Amino acid sequence: MKILFSRTFLLLFIVLSDLSFAQNKSDRELILIDKDWRFSFGHLYDTQKDFGHATGYFSYLTKTGFGDGPAAKDFDDRAWRKLDLPHDWAVEQPFGESGSFSHGFKAAGKNYPEKSIGWYRKKINVPESDLGKIISIQFDGVFRNSKVFFNGYYLGTTESGYNAFEYDVTAYVNYGGENTIVVRADASMEEGWFYEGAGIYRHVYLKKTNPIHVDQNGTFVTSELINNDATITAAITIKNKGKFKGSIDVVQKILDAQNKQVAISSENILAPEFYKTIDYSSKLRIENPLLWDIDLPNLYQLITEIKKEGKIIDSYKTSFGIRTIKFDSEKGFFLNGKSIKLKGTNNHQDHAGIGTALPDEIQYYRIKKLKEMGSNAYRCSHHPPTPELLKACDELGMLVIDETRLMGINDYHLNDLERMMKRDRNHPSIFCWSVGNEEWNIEGNIVGERITNVMQDFAKTIDPTRPVTVGISSGFKSGISSVVEIMGYNYLGNGDIDAHRNEFKKQPGMGTEEGSTFATRGIYFTDDAKHYQSAYDKKPRPTFYSIEEGWKFYAKRPYLAGMFIWTGFDYRGEPTPYGWPSVTSYFGMMDVCGFPKDNVFYLKSWWGKEPVLHLLPHWNWSGMEGKEITVWAYSNCDEVELFLNKKSLGKKKMEINSHLEWKVSYSPGTLEAIGYKNGKKVLTAVQRTTGKAENIKLKLDKENVLKGNVAVVTVEATDKNGLNVPTANDEITFSIKGGKILGVGNGDPTSLESDQFIDDISLVAIANLKEQKMANAVLSQQLSNFEENEWTEAFKDRDYKKQAPSYIYKGEFELKNNALTNKVSFFYKKIGVETVVFINGNKVEASTDDAQKYILNSNILKQGKNTIHIAATPLQKIKDWDVMNTNPGIIQVITPAEPCKRKLFNGYAQIIIQKEDNTKEVVLSASAKGLKMTTLSLK
Ligand code: GAL
């Protein structure tokens, strides 16, 4: 029997159940394990450079637990780089002409085999008290084709660079001790034609549950609104990975935003059998619920508790919202019964300076920027997003089209679609699933029609509450267009939208892509030699339309639910209409940092609610005196009057969804616009000719960072009056105390400057290892002269039963340089019991923190070939089949990073910083030649 309770009726139960909640901690724990990973590059095809991985006689696929090379539990990774996730190794690389156009020419990926495989290793402790729980490792996404090992055991391969996955490691755990997680990511293949990053660029968690637990993504909350009441269906999947047979209690509670319980249900059911799942659902009622809306994004939490013998064994939280959505083929889209025009943007997931490794704070920053522009919808083009993006959209009120990567009807495609949908279907922000984009091979034909039919019917089996779309670019007539539930028009120029609609009158539609306009922030004259596109909104190509043309088309047609601009932000890759050395796209309404191009003000005027008045271009045109400059005003005022140095250049009437233009003969001074509404002055906008750049200004983008340790700082150059100098391109050097610089950017699509400044770590092998037998077991502390012709290859045909009392080994390593600033260490691996190490004839001492590490001073090193001697008493075999180490270790050379620097681009740059744990104050300093230095202190 299901029990339905209303709020008042349940007071007593609430109190009781809350008490039990406080007394009984459930077995579920989700522990973020982003910190303290070790990283090194492997190699795409040279197994030697891939640390000899998978070269053993028995591979990890032959015998379980046979992960070799770095996949082995005890592999020595001390010389590897230490880092925290999220991490994108592609963004750390320089740019290279042999890099991929679509991936922004970063020197990574297929054409750079030494930068296409990344190895990650992490140690975790699992206490003995966890024995009996189910332990798993959960990845939000790894780019891409990741193989995961745990204590040397191979767990599986996930091809998708976008989907989340988890592995059950319960059987492999060393309870009460150390465990090793290893990930090998292979980013040599591309899944998209846009920048995708490389490595573990999303979060990783250690998850612990009771054997009986809510399955991964095992809840689906839906609601039905009748009058002022919501009936919530809380469907859950329970899994049993244990032997328990019997009944369990399932308690489902709903909490409002203040954590107040507003509904509860409870039922005793039979637990699923060993390794089986059961689906269960309960209905709960909320009176007068607060709806989720784009202006007031109210959220609720479903807490699902499983109790066994009175004890809470699992507690699972699901955030959800209550709202209704509807597409109407005549009237467009409705949210909570209200008609809403979708004012959307398409976006990829990368950001300036940090690539695809976005700290959660940056998700909020970006969604807030889009909302400020008046946008209310976001299309995840063309892949499943990170969960934190959806969380930001839920919390800030942004509608979302969630899109899978590749169309098809087999496991590769449908499994990815299913995983994305199950992970994401509780997000109220998602209003539509997209199962494909511009699949040119199948769009217009019967294959496309069949695949779409399967994919959208399949999608309905996972979520019957939302419709399905596909972005279509060629011929809005046959194939996918004839069957897809919500027609996704990609570009006006690609076909006759009205004609399609007249043929398919019952099919709602929206512009899944529109625009693809080219603009460089702060540039007002196109200069093909410099790869700069002027920022006046213009028709980019013969069959494409300007933003204004596009919006006018969609705004006029109520049957079209709205449009999604290509794109909200510039992104790495697709630097159309140029190629190398342009590395980012020109399509964005904002640049890669989120600095607005002028089009933002067009959209603010007609998408937003606030009065807007914006003038372009800037007014620093020294050398252009007397020449004609086109001045535009973006505004939603009724009329705008323009003045140059107080002289009126005429008042003009604004047409809805338009802009105004004047031709102005340039003279320096003040260009001013006054906006009128109902005949009254409401706004002024000014562009002033500035003086030369004198100061640096650092400004914290406070409003856009909700929480956490990461901050976005805008860097500007100002003149003596504090005005931003819109042409300043000074190079700024940064330093930081109490924190870390995550990345820098400036929105210049042609900038080949570094995004990140990190120490370079190179690992140098010891080559040509030779040995001589020594007569004495007491090791000499000095090197003697050895007979040159007595050296033989080390360990060759070693008879472990008849070893010499000690050996002297000799090897070589090459140093590219011997800079004083380098930090060189020898990470020794035991080839003897007692050991003395000599570098170029000098005895060196082991470091105090690690007896098998030797820090090598530059005064004993040299550029080129160096010699290492190791005197050692031999290791003895205990059993005949013992495999003895014959590798003496590795030389690590750390070349410290240069100071972080970035040029301003047209007056602006951006720096993303992260506070160190346990510091109270972060101080960021910025200096540049000829400008006054400045600091910003954050407490
Ligand atoms: C579209 C495509 C987008 C992007 C854009 C550039 O055809 O769907 O992913 O490539 O063109 O104009």
Side-chain angles (χ1 to χ4, degrees):
M1 248 267 313
K2 274 177 209 165
I3 314 164
L4 271 176
F5 298 113
S6 81
R7 201 176 349 198
T8 34
F9 183 63
L10 254 178
L11 210 60
L12 184 67
F13 283 85
I14 298 166
V15 173
L16 287 177
S17 71
D18 274 351
L19 269 181
S20 63
F21 188 65
Q23 282 162 3
N24 269 310
K25 202 172 146 278
S26 104
D27 287 342
R28 182 178 290 270
E29 278 177 81
L30 192 64
I31 305 161
L32 185 69
I33 50 169
D34 280 357
K35 290 227 150 121
D36 295 325
W37 288 71
R38 292 276 185 181
F39 173 79
S40 182
F41 285 112
H43 200 279
L44 184 56
Y45 46 76
D46 183 337
T47 27
Q48 272 269 300
K49 291 186 180 152
D50 206 32
F51 303 100
H53 173 59
T55 53
Y57 177 77
F58 289 116
S59 79
Y60 61 87
L61 294 180
T62 323
K63 299 270 183 195
T64 195
F66 272 48
D68 61 355
K73 180 173 84 171
D74 297 324
F75 175 85
D76 184 0
D77 60 14
R78 287 172 303 151
W80 286 19
R81 176 178 157 199
K82 263 192 205 162
L83 53 76
D84 296 338
L85 307 177
H87 173 235
D88 171 5
W89 81 67
V91 75
E92 295 172 346
Q93 304 311 313
F95 297 93
E97 203 171 346
S98 338
S100 152
F101 169 92
S102 55
H103 281 55
F105 293 105
K106 277 286 182 184
K110 215 199 307 278
N111 292 344
Y112 298 86
E114 70 291 351
K115 293 286 157 68
S116 63
I117 303 293
W119 282 96
Y120 295 85
R121 291 175 50 90
K122 165 144 184 87
K123 302 250 161 74
I124 52 164
N125 281 307
V126 179
E128 214 159 336
S129 53
D130 280 347
L131 191 63
K133 290 184 190 164
I134 300 299
I135 314 288
S136 9
I137 312 291
Q138 185 185 312
F139 293 84
D140 277 353
V142 178
F143 197 85
R144 72 174 289 283
N145 200 20
S146 62
K147 290 192 193 313
V148 182
F149 300 84
F150 189 85
N151 291 340
Y153 291 91
Y154 171 63
L155 304 178
T157 298
T158 301
E159 280 194 71
S160 165
Y162 295 107
N163 255 322
F165 54 95
E166 75 167 42
Y167 295 113
D168 181 339
V169 297
T170 312
Y172 311 112
V173 171
N174 171 25
Y175 293 93
E178 192 178 78
N179 295 271
T180 310
I181 307 167
V182 179
V183 178
R184 182 184 189 268
D186 176 347
S188 57
M189 274 282 281
E190 300 178 348
E191 286 183 55
W193 52 98
F194 38 84
Y195 180 82
E196 303 183 282
I200 312 183
Y201 71 102
R202 294 182 182 175
H203 296 308
V204 183
Y205 300 91
L206 170 67
K207 190 171 106 181
K208 304 173 183 177
T209 65
N210 188 278
I212 302 176
H213 57 270
V214 176
D215 207 3
Q216 172 69 347
N217 300 319
T219 59
F220 185 28
V221 187
T222 50
S223 54
E224 205 185 341
L225 261 177
I226 299 169
N227 300 323
N228 283 332
D229 280 357
T231 305
I232 309 295
T233 305
I236 58 172
T237 304
I238 301 171
K239 187 159 197 156
N240 186 359
K241 283 195 163 180
K243 290 285 171 62
F244 176 81
K245 282 189 179 55
S247 70
I248 48 174
D249 291 313
V250 180
V251 182
Q252 306 226 70
K253 305 171 187 174
I254 295 175
L255 309 183
D256 68 11
Q258 284 72 44
N259 273 329
K260 209 174 94 206
Q261 185 171 298
V262 293
I264 186 168
S265 85
S266 155
E267 193 172 354
N268 188 267
I269 60 168
L270 214 53
E273 289 182 12
F274 178 68
Y275 263 73
K276 291 258 162 40
T277 56
I278 51 160
D279 295 329
Y280 163 84
S281 98
S282 54
K283 294 228 185 271
L284 300 107
R285 222 178 81 215
I286 306 179
E287 290 168 21
N288 294 316
L290 295 171
L291 301 189
W292 184 91
D293 208 325
I294 47 179
D295 296 323
L296 287 171
N298 294 299
L299 294 170
Y300 288 90
Q301 299 240 333
L302 170 75
I303 310 287
T304 305
E305 284 171 1
I306 303 177
K307 288 188 193 171
K308 196 178 96 185
E309 288 144 10
K311 181 182 176 292
I312 299 172
I313 54 171
D314 196 16
S315 174
Y316 187 94
K317 262 190 212 165
T318 310
S319 169
F320 71 98
I322 303 168
R323 46 93 183 120
T324 65
I325 48 167
K326 190 179 95 186
F327 273 94
D328 183 288
S329 58
E330 294 293 329
K331 297 184 192 137
F333 178 72
F334 290 80
L335 178 64
N336 298 326
K338 269 193 333 220
S339 158
I340 283 200
K341 198 81 172 178
L342 299 169
K343 300 162 179 168
T345 63
N346 283 271
N347 292 289
H348 293 315
Q349 57 178 347
D350 60 302
H351 189 85
I354 50 178
T356 54
L358 268 63
D360 300 347
E361 291 87 344
I362 304 298
Q363 307 290 355
Y364 288 86
Y365 170 86
R366 288 166 64 89
I367 299 302
K368 281 206 137 199
K369 289 277 172 213
L370 293 168
K371 282 209 72 149
E372 278 168 23
M373 185 173 85
S375 174
N376 60 19
Y378 184 106
R379 177 172 176 230
C380 304
S381 357
H382 305 293
H383 57 79
T386 198
E388 282 69 30
L389 174 107
L390 298 173
K391 195 163 173 276
C393 291
D394 282 353
E395 290 174 13
L396 299 174
M398 175 69 79
L399 291 159
V400 177
I401 301 179
D402 201 3
E403 187 161 300
T404 190
R405 188 59 293 287
L406 195 66
M407 281 191 94
I409 56 164
N410 285 294
D411 217 38
Y412 180 85
H413 320 95
L414 294 183
N415 185 29
D416 268 9
L417 176 63
E418 177 171 353
R419 272 156 56 198
M420 173 185 88
M421 289 180 67
K422 285 198 168 156
R423 188 197 66 171
D424 295 348
R425 62 190 173 174
N426 291 312
H427 290 280
S429 52
I430 298 174
F431 71 100
C432 189
W433 304 107
S434 168
V435 299
N437 176 70
E438 297 201 355
E439 288 291 358
W440 297 327
N441 246 340
I442 58 168
E443 276 187 339
N445 62 32
I446 185 69
V447 180
E449 190 178 318
R450 291 176 190 145
I451 291 178
T452 306
N453 277 332
V454 173
M455 288 187 94
Q456 67 188 5
D457 287 351
F458 179 79
K460 284 281 176 296
T461 67
I462 302 162
D463 174 16
T465 73
R466 296 174 178 95
V468 170
T469 190
V470 176
I472 297 153
S473 65
S474 57
F476 305 144
K477 279 189 194 127
S478 51
I480 299 179
S481 327
S482 61
V483 292
V484 70
E485 203 178 345
I486 309 291
M487 175 68 187
Y489 300 103
N490 276 15
Y491 305 104
L492 299 180
N494 280 337
D496 188 338
I497 294 180
D498 289 327
H500 174 263
R501 145 149 184 110
N502 284 335
E503 200 179 331
F504 298 92
K505 278 234 153 77
K506 294 236 159 70
Q507 188 184 36
M510 59 184 162
T512 29
E513 283 179 35
E514 198 44 65
S516 273
T517 55
F518 309 133
T520 312
R521 176 183 56 76
I523 292 288
Y524 298 95
F525 292 94
T526 292
D527 183 338
D528 288 328
K530 286 190 174 155
H531 288 197
Y532 287 154
Q533 283 282 324
S534 104
Y536 296 96
D537 184 27
K538 57 192 180 291
K539 199 174 164 63
R541 293 173 264 188
T543 55
F544 284 74
Y545 292 86
S546 68
I547 298 301
E548 186 174 320
E549 287 167 327
W551 179 239
K552 280 181 169 161
F553 182 92
Y554 278 93
K556 234 190 274 165
R557 289 166 172 75
Y559 75 85
L560 291 170
M563 77 171 196
F564 289 76
I565 291 173
W566 189 267
T567 49
F569 298 94
D570 280 341
Y571 51 94
R572 288 164 199 276
E574 288 201 311
T576 320
Y578 303 117
W580 175 261
S582 288
V583 295
T584 71
S585 79
Y586 292 75
F587 301 123
M589 300 297 96
M590 290 174 261
D591 68 17
V592 280
C593 303
F595 294 133
K597 302 180 191 174
D598 298 282
N599 263 340
V600 163
F601 299 94
Y602 170 77
L603 294 168
K604 261 190 166 175
S605 305
W606 304 113
W607 280 10
K609 291 183 184 142
E610 307 291 315
V612 175
L613 181 56
H614 171 79
L615 275 182
L616 62 146
H618 61 71
W619 214 238
N620 277 20
W621 299 104
S622 164
M624 294 269 291
E625 287 75 6
K627 301 225 170 81
E628 191 173 77
I629 289 187
T630 305
V631 172
W632 284 22
Y634 282 132
S635 179
N636 45 19
C637 293
D638 307 336
E639 290 172 310
V640 178
E641 185 167 8
L642 186 70
F643 299 84
L644 178 60
N645 296 329
K646 299 256 153 69
K647 198 172 145 246
S648 173
L649 303 177
K651 197 190 238 183
K652 299 196 178 190
K653 257 202 166 51
M654 181 66 84
E655 250 177 56
I656 275 198
N657 296 327
S658 275
H659 71 278
L660 294 174
E661 288 188 31
W662 291 260
K663 300 279 180 204
V664 180
S665 159
Y666 178 69
S667 73
T670 304
L671 185 72
E672 184 178 21
I674 298 183
Y676 297 85
K677 266 198 171 172
N678 303 319
K680 271 205 207 116
K681 274 189 196 177
V682 288
L683 282 175
T684 57
V686 171
Q687 293 285 7
R688 272 196 194 93
T689 311
T690 74
K692 63 176 186 23
E694 293 190 6
N695 313 296
I696 308 172
K697 187 167 150 193
L698 296 175
K699 193 170 147 243
L700 178 68
D701 209 312
K702 231 190 223 136
E703 309 74 47
N704 289 300
V705 179
L706 275 191
K707 53 189 164 186
N709 287 339
V710 174
V712 179
V713 178
T714 298
V715 189
E716 285 180 62
T718 57
D719 72 358
K720 62 173 187 300
N721 298 319
L723 293 176
N724 172 276
V725 181
T727 48
N729 286 354
D730 305 80
E731 186 178 74
I732 316 284
T733 303
F734 302 97
S735 66
I736 193 162
K737 275 197 208 120
K740 191 168 140 193
I741 296 171
L742 295 183
V744 284
N746 62 10
D748 179 357
T750 68
S751 168
L752 302 182
E753 296 161 281
S754 301
D755 292 292
Q756 298 187 356
F757 294 79
I758 44 173
D759 296 351
D760 177 69
I761 297 186
S762 60
L763 304 180
V764 185
I766 292 169
N768 216 2
L769 194 69
K770 302 224 163 109
E771 67 179 32
Q772 289 192 24
K773 287 183 180 164
M774 304 293 284
N776 206 326
V778 180
L779 302 175
S780 161
Q781 303 297 308
Q782 269 177 356
L783 266 196
S784 28
N785 290 328
F786 301 102
E787 283 296 331
E788 255 332 289
N789 53 10
E790 297 273 298
W791 290 108
T792 59
E793 190 180 325
F795 297 106
K796 186 157 185 259
D797 305 326
R798 169 80 58 101
D799 181 348
Y800 279 91
K801 289 201 173 116
K802 282 196 217 135
Q803 298 197 92
S806 74
Y807 290 82
I808 180 82
Y809 302 92
K810 183 179 80 165
E812 297 152 10
F813 58 92
E814 290 276 332
L815 291 183
K816 281 200 196 114
N817 62 53
N818 185 26
L820 266 176
T821 45
N822 284 357
K823 287 184 204 140
V824 185
S825 306
F826 168 46
F827 286 90
Y828 170 61
K829 270 189 214 158
K830 275 197 161 193
I831 51 170
V833 184
E834 300 285 325
T835 310
V836 184
V837 178
F838 304 88
I839 301 288
N840 296 326
N842 306 285
K843 182 179 170 225
V844 288
E845 296 296 335
S847 104
T848 45
D849 62 327
D850 179 349
Q852 293 188 55
K853 176 179 171 188
Y854 297 80
I855 297 171
L856 311 181
N857 225 301
S858 75
N859 58 14
I860 60 163
L861 295 168
K862 52 193 182 198
Q863 183 172 345
K865 200 206 281 173
N866 290 262
T867 324
I868 179 167
H869 284 89
I870 300 170
T873 51
L875 299 170
Q876 304 292 348
K877 279 195 178 188
I878 297 169
K879 301 215 174 67
D880 275 356
W881 52 84
D882 283 345
V883 179
M884 309 301 281
N885 178 43
T886 59
N887 170 5
I890 201 143
I891 306 285
Q892 177 203 56
V893 183
I894 303 183
T895 311
E898 284 181 19
C900 172
K901 51 182 191 273
R902 187 68 164 201
K903 278 189 176 158
L904 299 173
F905 179 61
N906 295 327
Y908 293 99
Q910 179 174 78
I911 176 160
I912 300 172
I913 59 176
Q914 184 174 38
K915 186 175 94 64
E916 270 163 18
D917 295 339
N918 314 319
T919 19
K920 293 222 172 75
E921 192 182 15
V922 184
V923 182
L924 177 69
S925 316
S927 60
K929 229 170 116 193
L931 304 185
K932 251 177 249 143
M933 108 164 245
T934 189
T935 60
L936 176 74
S937 142
L938 308 173
K939 289 197 177 141

